[in-house]
Amino acid sequence: MLSAFGPFVTDMYLPTLPSMAEVFHTTPSQVQMGLATSMLGLAIGQIFFGPLSDKYGRKAILVSAMLLFAVSTVAAIYSPSIEFFNLCRFIQGLGGSGGIVLSRSVATDCYSGRELAKTLAIIGAVNGIAPVTAPVIGGLVSEAVGWQGIFWILFGIGVIILAMCVIFRESHAIEMRYTGSVVSLLSKFPEIFRLRYYIVYTLMYAFTCGVLFSYISSASFIVQNHFGFSELQFAIVFGVNALGIGIGSGLSLKFKRMKNAAFFGSIGILTSIALQVISYILFPSFWPYEILTFIMLVSVGFILTSATTLAMDEGRSMVGTASAIFGASGFLFGGLVSPIVGLGNIMTTTLLLLGICSLSALGFASVAYRRA
């Protein structure tokens, strides 16, 4: 639940983006900026909450993060303008980041060896499926409660997690915590950048998140405005596509080596996107778009699962820091691509971003694949 919370923060209200543009009397790009600011918050928050949990424990940091999330969510509901709303989304992302980074840290506290690999693989799969599942739930309730109702639901989820913190057992023992100053703790970041293959796995993951969030931030406009589907129909399409990530994540565990799964997935992403470009030119209809998108997301599932396992195993010596940078990279790339898809022709811009990110992911997957 902690691992999925951040993606729910960013994506549950996606089906209401077109209508929110009318409510705030603004452009699609301005509304999509709320996605970018929340993902920026999710990225920055992990960089701080991850290392701080190494010093102060997982429970105290999680409580602080959930309180920040709850307050900012209520503020977002009563936003007087799109600018204030986007600011609240940034703070909301900061709070939501606690659950994401701590899910990986807690897993590393509790497990080792093959058990840890399986747990991190599941977390990687959840992080991939949740961004696509969240809009399905949002689409099912959006017509009844609107975007503000969706945010009240998010507030309720945050309160439930906050209440669960009371019975949450601290996983990071006092004798294992970092005893230096906060400044010296944050100064450990350069050490992680000297782990070459950790950086390779992290960048592979980040560019794959660029693919995922390019799809996520554009899908509601493409499916509803371009192909003429309703919010409910869009939610159904999104739900079907969520299965693709789950299938890919599950199949990746069948590979003996995670780097092989990552390489296979990166080829699948690039191939499906190349076919999408051809389809858009020759057969600009819904079904080719949907089938190739599903294949793309199956391939994304391969990389999200394998990259999480590979990167966290490589950065085992600095768990909190490694988890923070790894998680932040995905949301940072997601935050960069989200507002860009709304520029110009949304279909053309999205395909261009998908192509750039998929080529980059394949490059890093190739480096990992050639590792002895």
Side-chain angles (χ1 to χ4, degrees):
M1 186 174 183
L2 284 178
S3 179
F5 185 64
F8 267 78
V9 171
T10 59
D11 302 331
M12 190 171 174
Y13 80 123
L14 275 180
T16 67
L17 287 182
S19 60
M20 285 184 68
E22 297 178 6
V23 170
F24 284 108
H25 305 290
T26 189
T27 63
S29 185
Q30 277 289 326
V31 174
Q32 285 170 320
M33 190 62 70
L35 285 174
T37 55
S38 65
M39 283 187 276
L40 182 62
L42 285 165
I44 293 175
Q46 289 185 71
I47 291 174
F48 286 98
F49 287 141
L52 287 176
S53 71
D54 285 342
K55 179 174 177 60
Y56 297 108
R58 318 302 185 199
K59 185 172 182 177
I61 297 300
L62 182 58
V63 170
S64 301
M66 288 299 100
L67 286 172
L68 184 63
F69 171 81
V71 173
S72 60
T73 300
V74 174
I77 292 171
Y78 295 103
S79 296
S81 67
I82 190 64
E83 291 79 13
F84 185 81
F85 174 80
N86 289 341
L87 175 61
C88 291
R89 289 286 288 164
F90 172 74
I91 301 173
Q92 199 181 32
L94 288 176
S97 69
I100 301 175
V101 69
L102 290 177
S103 64
R104 289 186 293 267
S105 299
V106 170
T108 309
D109 290 337
C110 298
Y111 302 103
S112 61
R114 186 63 181 171
E115 285 187 335
L116 176 60
K118 289 181 179 179
T119 304
L120 291 176
I122 293 171
I123 290 173
V126 169
N127 284 339
I129 295 172
V132 189
T133 306
V136 176
I137 299 174
L140 292 174
V141 301
S142 61
E143 293 186 6
V145 300
W147 73 268
Q148 290 174 315
I150 290 175
F151 274 68
W152 278 119
I153 293 173
L154 287 173
F155 174 77
I157 295 173
V159 170
I160 291 173
I161 294 178
L162 188 58
M164 290 172 61
C165 290
V166 176
I167 59 174
F168 176 67
R169 181 177 62 85
E170 176 60 59
S171 63
H172 192 43
I174 295 177
E175 60 270 19
M176 298 297 294
R177 296 179 190 178
Y178 184 77
T179 56
S181 67
V182 172
V183 174
S184 63
L185 174 64
L186 296 178
S187 69
K188 294 182 65 178
F189 275 98
E191 296 180 30
I192 200 75
F193 288 106
R194 287 195 283 270
L195 300 176
R196 179 189 174 193
Y197 282 99
Y198 168 82
I199 297 302
V200 168
Y201 302 141
T202 298
L203 288 174
M204 177 175 64
Y205 169 80
F207 278 108
T208 303
C209 285
V211 170
L212 179 61
F213 283 103
S214 292
Y215 159 71
I216 288 173
S217 57
S218 66
S220 60
F221 291 96
I222 292 175
V223 175
Q224 293 177 230
N225 295 348
H226 188 74
F227 292 117
F229 283 46
S230 67
E231 289 185 2
L232 180 58
Q233 288 171 326
F234 163 70
I236 294 172
V237 170
F238 229 59
V240 171
N241 290 343
L243 296 176
I245 297 179
I247 291 171
S249 298
L251 291 176
S252 70
L253 297 176
K254 301 297 182 181
F255 285 76
K256 290 184 178 179
R257 296 183 176 181
M258 285 285 102
K259 67 177 184 178
N260 295 350
F263 185 68
F264 180 84
S266 64
I267 293 176
I269 292 174
L270 184 59
T271 302
S272 62
I273 292 171
L275 291 174
Q276 277 196 52
V277 173
I278 296 172
S279 172
Y280 177 60
I281 296 172
L282 301 178
F283 310 103
S285 59
F286 171 74
W287 283 111
Y289 164 81
E290 169 58 19
I291 292 171
L292 291 170
T293 295
F294 185 84
I295 295 172
M296 178 186 76
L297 293 175
V298 170
S299 303
V300 165
F302 277 91
I303 298 183
L304 295 183
T305 300
S306 56
T308 302
T309 304
L310 290 166
M312 290 304 296
D313 188 58
E314 197 72 19
R316 181 182 298 274
S317 60
M318 294 171 278
V319 172
T321 304
S323 179
I325 295 175
F326 180 81
S329 68
F331 287 103
L332 179 61
F333 274 62
L336 290 174
V337 301
S338 293
I340 297 176
V341 299
L343 302 177
N345 183 300
I346 195 167
M347 196 76 168
T348 302
T349 306
T350 300
L351 288 173
L352 179 61
L353 285 172
L354 290 174
I356 293 172
C357 290
S358 63
L359 278 170
S360 301
L362 176 58
F364 288 109
S366 299
V367 173
Y369 184 73
R370 291 195 297 268
R371 184 184 188 185

